[in-house]
Amino acid sequence: MTKFLIDVNLPYKFKLWNNAKFEQVRDINDEWTDSQIWNYAKKRNLIIVSKDSDFSNRIISSSPPPKVVHLKIGNMKINELYYFLNSHWEKIEKQTHNHKLVNVYFDKITAI
């Protein structure tokens, strides 16, 4: 089963992320550095979901694990973000199966 690690820069306990497929950095240690988050995800073969470009920059020159989903959707109201992610999550998750980086924009999803 694909499992995800949700970064602290994203809303905590979205209904979408409230199941066994998702871990929250806030539940582990919300003061971790990006390197600590990376190493935790690497050891557990998790996919990091973040708005932080540091993770996508790092995966470009690395081999998974971890993989990264970079949300490049700007600022949205919580309800808009929830609707957007619910509408697109299946496609986002599917892209993680064969790609190390999935970039999610408001109008498209690209994968490397």
Side-chain angles (χ1 to χ4, degrees), residues 44-59:
R44 289 159 181 80
N45 197 28
L46 301 174
I47 299 169
I48 299 170
V49 180
S50 181
K51 290 179 100 176
D52 187 343
S53 63
D54 292 340
F55 295 115
S56 60
N57 292 340
R58 188 168 179 174
I59 193 60

Side-chain angles (χ1 to χ4, degrees), residues 88-104:
H88 295 89
W89 189 256
E90 186 176 320
K91 184 175 181 182
I92 293 167
E93 185 173 347
K94 188 178 282 188
Q95 292 294 315
T96 66
H97 295 222
N98 298 314
H99 300 89
K100 67 180 183 176
L101 171 62
V102 178
N103 290 306
V104 180

Side-chain angles (χ1 to χ4, degrees), residues 51-99:
K51 290 179 100 176
D52 187 343
S53 63
D54 292 340
F55 295 115
S56 60
N57 292 340
R58 188 168 179 174
I59 193 60
I60 293 296
S61 61
S62 301
S63 296
K67 293 181 180 182
V68 175
V69 172
H70 186 182
L71 301 177
K72 298 181 172 191
I73 52 178
N75 293 326
M76 291 181 164
K77 292 180 180 178
I78 236 25
N79 289 342
E80 292 171 334
L81 179 61
Y82 180 75
Y83 177 77
F84 177 83
L85 289 174
N86 264 340
S87 299
H88 295 89
W89 189 256
E90 186 176 320
K91 184 175 181 182
I92 293 167
E93 185 173 347
K94 188 178 282 188
Q95 292 294 315
T96 66
H97 295 222
N98 298 314
H99 300 89

Side-chain angles (χ1 to χ4, degrees), residues 1 23 28 30 33 35 40 66 73-75 87 94 98 108:
M1 170 173 60
E23 290 186 44
I28 303 160
D30 62 359
T33 65
S35 290
Y40 180 87
I73 52 178
N75 293 326
S87 299
K94 188 178 282 188
N98 298 314
K108 65 184 174 185

